[in-house]
Amino acid sequence: MIALITGASRGIGFETAKYFIHQTDLDVYAVSRNRQGLDRLVSACRGNDGEFRLHPVVYDLERMLTEPGEISKILPADLHHVDILINNAGFLVNKPFEQQRPEDAERMCRVNFLIPALLIKELMPVLGKKGISHIINIGSMGGYQGSIKFPGLAFYSSSKASLACLTECLSQEYKDTDMVFNCLALGSVQTEMLEEAFPGFRGGLAPGRMAEFIGNFALTGHRYFRGRILPVSSSTP
Ligand SMILES: NC(=O)c1ccc[n+]([C@@H]2O[C@H](COP(=O)([O-])OP(=O)(O)OC[C@H]3O[C@@H](n4cnc5c(N)ncnc54)[C@H](OP(=O)(O)O)[C@@H]3O)[C@@H](O)[C@H]2O)c1
């Protein structure tokens, strides 16, 4: 089986790719812009054939907006089926709404919503073609309807809410196919993103712990959930 995960150079994506390699026999395509981060992931995956099942893909996903079709050329031509797709790459700028720079606001909309949508679209030829493909969009509790909202995260949380809605839309549009879409709305996880956005904040879940949940859910969640937005937080109400 084959998994593709974006944003694997650090944080939750890094740990989830590592979890797949150490705990399953999946082949894993791990995407990020940062070769050093992916090299660290390769090192962390050594042993048990891990270094052969982990396939780093250095790619700026924002290029999908200007170079449609390019990602399919970067992935191997004999990649005929992707069983698990995890749209994990994300971008966050924590600032009061009126101080947000338009370019950051636009980037949050691109990376957190538009790119996952375009990646799903580009990968459709290899999704749900040989059995179920489980497509997981990594959302946020901030973008979960009715949750407590945090000042400074208006653009970020709204972009994640769009991603959640996209999950429901695609699930309905492709309900008669073998593509299963779900969105995990995560609470705080102690990663560089969290540390950069909220310096000094402590209390997020360890990324390895969240990776365990995401990894398990990726493998089995499609049996129980379809088109769902699931809050994954023991702290954010
Ligand atoms: N940490 C939390 O508390 C928390 C809570 C709720 C939801 N989330 C969500 O969980 C996901 C992972 O979060 P995290 O905390 O692990 O974030 P992180 O540490 O900032 O990692 C983000 C990843 O996204 C990649 N990325 C960003 N832009 C990219 C692009 N244009 N092309 C390719 N890769 C790109 C980064 O890789 P490069 O920079 O190497 O390209 C990095 O590997 C995100 O979607 C985030 O919004 C996190």
Side-chain angles (χ1 to χ4, degrees), residues 7 9-10 12 32-34 60-61 88 156 160 187 189 191:
S9 63
R10 66 182 203 174
I12 297 165
S32 109
R33 295 165 298 186
N34 172 344
D60 182 348
L61 291 160
N88 167 77
Y156 173 77
K160 290 293 191 180
V189 183
T191 63

Side-chain angles (χ1 to χ4, degrees), residues 187-188 205 232-237:
S188 56
L205 197 66
V232 187
S233 173
S234 54
S235 56
T236 316

